[in-house]
């Protein structure tokens, strides 16, 4: 088999570690199909290579780590017949699942923007390194998609209702907040990353100790001041009830969050709430990805995603017209149809 090759991800072996360096700086290292395929090929090759004892995932230069997936391509495909979009999701989710089940330790360096697809390739890693540059978010409600790449698995397993809050609002977290919430395992100053990678490559049996030695005390995590508010105001699995709770509260923080939510896709917010509720009850990551693929294969062809991408990156007017336009108009039947299992011959499957 000839491995898939692309210059958009640099693949190498450094000492005893395999290294995947995302290399699309102009797109903040957003993932495309060739990148996902090349990373899968490398991971499968290294899985059986005794010389490779650990895997490092990082980015080459710029504001990375990884800003997500290629949403322009997804929207263009969705506006057509969705084939290319489904192919991308199918492959990307296989990469996510491969990392989640990988037998060798994986270290992800989230040194920069870590959103959407970047969350999907960093959260499965055993070691997740945040820095002062980390900006972590699942911003999909703002583009009418949904918090995929395993978001339905990771977010409901965070403290209290923080995962629901992040999924609905698309709130951005810094590195200190990622560490406090367990989204990162270590906090390193960015100037220590080269040393960390070099030492891990030489001593992959000592990853935890190396990262521990190079870690520094993170600044106070701002989100921790709001945990009680988040748990109280985002307690419901009903989107209408969350909006009502924020409105009734009337405090400055609640009003700011309410205004934020009024700009989000009501459909996506309802999808996210159900996705996190069901994902929190699942015992198998592959089952989560099967469900997310069914959701993704549908929403990518629906009005809100195509309109969200138009407003954000095509016309850049930041004024999406959502349809259905209100939470009340997004019925249970509407959401049920998005979540319905796909026919057997169309379902997502992990790598054999």
């Amino acid at each position: 088999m000839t491995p898939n090759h692309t210059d958009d991800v640099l693949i190498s072996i450094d000492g005893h570690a395999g290294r995947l360096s995302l290399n699309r700086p102009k797109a903040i290292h957003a993932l495309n199909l060739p990148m996902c395929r090349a990373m899968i090929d490398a991971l499968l090759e290294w899985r059986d290579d005794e010389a490779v004892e650990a895997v490092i995932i990082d980015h080459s230069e710029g504001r990375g780590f990884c800003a997500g997936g290629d949403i322009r391509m997804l929207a263009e495909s969705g506006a057509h017949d969705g084939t290319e979009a489904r192919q991308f999701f199918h492959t990307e989710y296989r990469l996510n699942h491969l990392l989640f089940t990988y037998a060798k330790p994986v270290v992800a360096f989230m040194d920069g923007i870590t959103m959407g697809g970047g969350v999907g390739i960093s959260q499965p890693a055993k070691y997740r390194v945040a820095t002062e540059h980390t900006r972590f978010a699942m911003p999909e409600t703002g583009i009418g998609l949904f918090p995929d790449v395993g978001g339905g698995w990771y977010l409901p397993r965070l403290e209290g209702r923080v995962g629901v809050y992040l999924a609905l609002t698309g709130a951005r977290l810094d590195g200190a907040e990622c560490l406090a919430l367990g989204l990162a395992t270590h906090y390193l100053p960015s100037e220590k990353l080269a040393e960390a990678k070099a030492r891990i490559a030489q001593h992959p049996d000592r990853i935890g100790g190396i990262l521990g030695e190079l870690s520094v005390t993170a600044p106070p995590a701002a989100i921790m001041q709001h945990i009680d508010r988040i748990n109280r105001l985002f307690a419901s699995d009903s989107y209408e009830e969350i909006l009502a709770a924020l409105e009734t509260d009337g405090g400055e923080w609640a009003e700011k969050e309410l205004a934020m939510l009024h700009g989000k896709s009501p459909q996506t917010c309802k999808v996210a709430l159900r996705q996190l509720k069901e994902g929190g009850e699942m015992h198998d990551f592959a089952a989560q990805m099967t469900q997310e693929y069914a959701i993704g294969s549908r929403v990518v062809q629906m009005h809100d995603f195509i309109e969200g991408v138009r407003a954000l990156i095509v016309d850049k007017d930041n004024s999406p017209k959502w349809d259905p336009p209100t939470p009340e108009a997004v019925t249970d039947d509407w959401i049920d149809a998005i979540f319905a299992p796909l026919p057997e011959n169309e379902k997502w499957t992990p790598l054999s």
Side-chain angles (χ1 to χ4, degrees):
M1 179 178 97
T2 307
N4 283 291
H5 175 78
T6 172
D7 293 332
D8 290 344
V9 56
L10 306 176
I11 297 170
S12 61
I13 294 177
D14 181 6
H16 303 285
R19 192 153 167 185
L20 303 171
S21 285
L22 307 182
N23 189 42
R24 283 186 80 203
K26 286 180 179 162
I28 319 178
H29 311 290
L31 301 175
N32 57 31
L33 185 61
M35 291 166 78
C36 293
R37 284 177 169 160
M39 293 196 316
I40 286 170
D41 285 353
L43 288 165
L44 291 177
E45 198 174 302
W46 295 337
R47 191 166 62 177
D48 304 318
D49 185 346
E50 289 178 11
V52 176
E53 296 174 40
V55 174
I56 291 169
I57 306 178
D58 62 3
H59 71 282
S60 59
E61 57 177 279
R63 294 187 298 139
F65 172 60
C66 172
D70 189 347
I71 60 171
R72 186 186 286 265
M73 175 279 291
L74 292 172
E76 287 170 357
S77 172
H80 181 46
D81 64 358
T83 302
E84 204 179 342
R86 286 190 294 274
Q87 188 179 31
F88 173 75
F89 283 143
H90 200 280
T91 307
E92 183 187 25
Y93 295 1
R94 281 185 159 182
L95 172 61
N96 300 148
H97 182 265
L98 177 60
L99 286 165
F100 190 93
T101 56
Y102 210 64
K104 297 179 181 184
V106 177
V107 193
F109 288 90
M110 309 187 299
D111 179 39
I113 293 170
T114 304
M115 296 185 185
V119 174
I121 58 171
S122 57
Q123 283 307 298
K126 181 175 182 181
Y127 302 99
R128 303 176 299 280
V129 180
T131 73
E132 73 277 12
H133 298 141
T134 301
R135 293 293 177 272
F136 179 105
M138 292 296 275
E140 289 80 8
T141 53
I143 54 166
L145 194 56
F146 72 109
D148 66 332
V149 295
W153 180 275
Y154 303 115
L155 295 175
R157 285 164 176 78
L158 298 178
E159 177 177 341
R161 298 292 286 180
V162 168
V164 167
Y165 167 73
L166 295 176
L168 293 179
T169 65
R172 296 188 180 196
L173 304 177
D174 63 23
E177 291 172 310
C178 288
L179 183 71
L181 293 172
L183 291 160
T185 58
H186 295 82
Y187 185 90
L188 269 65
S190 55
E191 67 264 19
K192 292 285 186 189
L193 296 186
E195 181 185 346
K197 292 169 193 175
R199 288 174 61 183
I200 287 167
Q202 294 312 310
H203 302 284
D205 55 329
R206 289 200 53 243
I207 298 171
I210 291 164
L211 294 176
E213 282 170 33
L214 296 175
S215 289
V216 294
T217 303
I223 195 169
M224 303 314 281
Q225 302 168 30
H226 303 298
I227 292 288
D228 291 344
R229 281 193 190 101
I230 289 169
N231 289 343
R232 178 168 53 84
L233 298 171
F234 287 79
S236 178
D237 288 320
S238 155
Y239 189 43
E240 289 88 341
E241 286 177 13
I242 289 172
L243 294 172
L246 289 165
E247 207 164 318
T248 305
D249 179 275
E252 190 183 339
W253 185 86
E255 286 191 354
K256 182 169 70 71
E257 299 304 323
L258 186 63
M260 176 93 71
L261 289 175
H262 283 321
K264 306 299 185 187
S265 158
Q267 171 185 290
T268 306
C269 289
K270 287 203 170 185
V271 166
L273 279 168
R274 176 159 165 186
Q275 178 198 357
L276 267 59
K277 183 177 189 299
E278 294 187 3
E281 295 162 358
M282 286 185 186
H283 301 292
D284 176 32
F285 188 70
Q288 176 63 41
M289 300 316 292
T290 301
Q291 184 188 71
E292 291 191 6
Y293 181 71
I295 299 168
S297 68
R298 294 186 176 105
V299 299
V300 78
Q301 287 193 269
M302 295 175 81
H303 169 275
D304 273 14
F305 177 56
I306 294 162
E307 170 65 5
V309 173
R310 179 207 65 75
L312 182 74
I313 66 167
V314 180
D315 298 336
K316 296 185 168 66
D317 59 24
N318 291 314
S319 300
K321 303 285 184 286
W322 305 123
D323 187 25
T326 63
E328 293 75 20
V330 183
T331 63
D332 290 346
D333 287 348
W334 185 278
I335 298 299
D336 287 345
I338 291 173
F339 274 77
L342 290 169
E344 282 302 320
N345 63 336
E346 294 176 25
K347 283 184 176 176
W348 178 85
T349 54
L351 291 157
S352 55

